[in-house]
Amino acid sequence: MGYYLSYVVVLVLFIFVGVSVSLSSSPIEDQKRDRVTDLPGQPKNVGFAHYSGYVTVNEKSGSALFYWLFEAPASRRPEKRPLVLWLNGGPGCSSIAYGASEEIGPFRIRPDGKSLYLNPYAWNKLANILFLDSPAGVGFSYSNKTTDLYTFGDQRTAEDAYTFLVKWFERFPQYKHREFYIAGESYAGHYVPQLSQIVYERNKGIKNPVINFKGFMVGNAVTDDYHDYVGTFEYWWTHGLVSDSTYRMLRIACDFGSSQHPSVPCMQALKVAVVEQGNIDPYSIYTQPCNDTSSLRRDLGGRYVSLFSQFVQFIHKHHV
Ligand SMILES: *[C@@H]1O[C@H](CO)[C@@H](O)[C@H](O)[C@H]1NC(C)=O
Ligand SMILES: *[C@@H]1O[C@H](CO)[C@@H](O)[C@H](O)[C@H]1NC(C)=O
């Protein structure tokens, strides 16, 4: 994965060099300046526009958030389609390096590390997708005040993301009043509803708000230990990945415990569940698994906060 990520870094630096030489002026000129006309190894005539750049969210500390917008293909009338903000979790996972480049974005990186190909399942076929590296310190987003990186919390993350949105809509006025959704996964189970709440509160009483917020969606969300356990176990059970008796055992042993410090019976139940599941990718149960699932589970890259890491540690300790 490091290989791919470093390629993404190179790509983005490439763009950024082009971006940083021009001077910032009006928001519209900023939009034009942010247009990405080509990437090294990008397929020709992709049929959609994309943009990336920085939006300053705090002048005093000098912090700026990095975004990448992939519009829907021109043939699918992007101007009629909603805008979706996508946030990866972690905390600390880059939405650009991961969400855009490995999950739902239009470009995938070939194993040669030199060229890109199109992802047939890209979400920008249906909507305009805005990827945001958040908070400052994650991915290409940064703060010039080092202490910021040690004092971040969910509240400031949400406030900064809101500031980003307000300024971003000035740069992209064609998206003002457009249907807008917020989506994400994993730790974004916190980011998404918290940002949604701010948008909702600040829109209250405003007719025809600029940020025309319609709803939010989270997948594989970190909510809290109880609901995360209930959801995970029910998913395993209803997809035939664990037996009835293991499901019952998981619910009794784990449901009311902590995922950071699971009890011994809970660890044992998780171990049985892992054995029953066999060699599968728990994040994509219908696709071919990699041959080495231990590397798969090590490489979850911020998608999952604690549950899997706990039983991976457990399995390592017990040489399973
Ligand atoms: C951060 O510092 C650099 C170097 O001084 C400067 O070029 C940049 O504009 C600053 N960023 C922000 C968001 O103020
Ligand atoms: C997994 O191993 C099998 C048998 O050794 C091999 O045929 C297959 O190509 C491998 N798959 C991957 C993704 O490496």
Side-chain angles (χ1 to χ4, degrees), residues 55-64 142-144:
V55 172
T56 298
V57 292
N58 189 323
E59 308 264 350
K60 242 197 334 222
S61 62
S63 56
Y142 69 90
S143 175
N144 281 340

Side-chain angles (χ1 to χ4, degrees), residues 90-91 187 222 224-226 228-229 254 256-263 266-267 270 304-311 313-314 317:
Y187 195 80
V222 173
D224 56 48
D225 283 348
Y226 176 76
D228 297 350
Y229 273 139
C254 300
F256 296 99
S258 143
S259 69
Q260 289 293 328
H261 306 285
S263 64
C266 173
M267 292 274 223
L270 287 168
Y304 207 101
V305 172
S306 53
L307 184 58
F308 281 105
S309 70
Q310 281 302 325
F311 68 69
Q313 278 168 23
F314 174 85
K317 209 160 63 195

Side-chain angles (χ1 to χ4, degrees), residues 198-214:
I198 293 180
V199 174
Y200 170 79
E201 291 292 338
R202 309 233 166 126
N203 274 353
K204 251 187 190 167
I206 298 173
K207 261 198 185 145
N208 194 20
V210 166
I211 306 179
N212 184 13
F213 181 57
K214 289 295 181 188

Side-chain angles (χ1 to χ4, degrees), residues 31-178:
Q31 175 181 156
K32 276 202 205 130
R33 185 200 62 188
D34 283 359
R35 179 79 191 262
V36 181
T37 50
D38 198 14
L39 291 170
Q42 178 182 310
K44 296 293 162 219
N45 308 319
V46 292
F48 58 81
H50 53 124
Y51 299 80
S52 80
Y54 281 100
V55 172
T56 298
V57 292
N58 189 323
E59 308 264 350
K60 242 197 334 222
S61 62
S63 56
L65 299 186
F66 187 75
Y67 79 89
W68 206 318
L69 168 72
F70 292 96
E71 293 193 325
S75 60
R76 293 183 171 218
R77 314 203 54 194
E79 69 282 1
K80 298 276 180 219
R81 292 183 179 266
L83 176 68
V84 178
L85 176 73
W86 174 267
L87 297 167
N88 278 89
C93 183
S94 162
S95 305
I96 311 290
Y98 200 31
S101 310
E102 292 194 48
E103 298 184 316
I104 61 169
F107 294 129
R108 287 286 158 82
I109 300 159
R110 283 221 172 79
D112 69 3
K114 291 183 182 137
S115 54
L116 303 169
Y117 64 98
L118 291 172
N119 167 18
Y121 310 108
W123 284 22
N124 76 318
K125 288 190 168 177
L126 297 176
N128 304 289
I129 311 288
L130 175 58
F131 294 92
L132 176 67
D133 275 346
S134 159
V138 172
F140 299 105
S141 296
Y142 69 90
S143 175
N144 281 340
K145 192 172 152 210
T146 308
T147 52
D148 267 6
L149 307 178
Y150 298 97
T151 56
F152 258 108
D154 290 344
Q155 185 63 36
R156 181 129 52 89
T157 299
E159 287 289 351
D160 280 0
Y162 182 75
T163 305
F164 165 85
L165 285 177
V166 169
K167 292 178 117 182
W168 188 89
F169 276 95
E170 290 305 316
R171 194 177 299 181
F172 287 83
Q174 68 269 38
Y175 284 100
K176 288 184 176 180
H177 314 293
R178 188 85 60 95

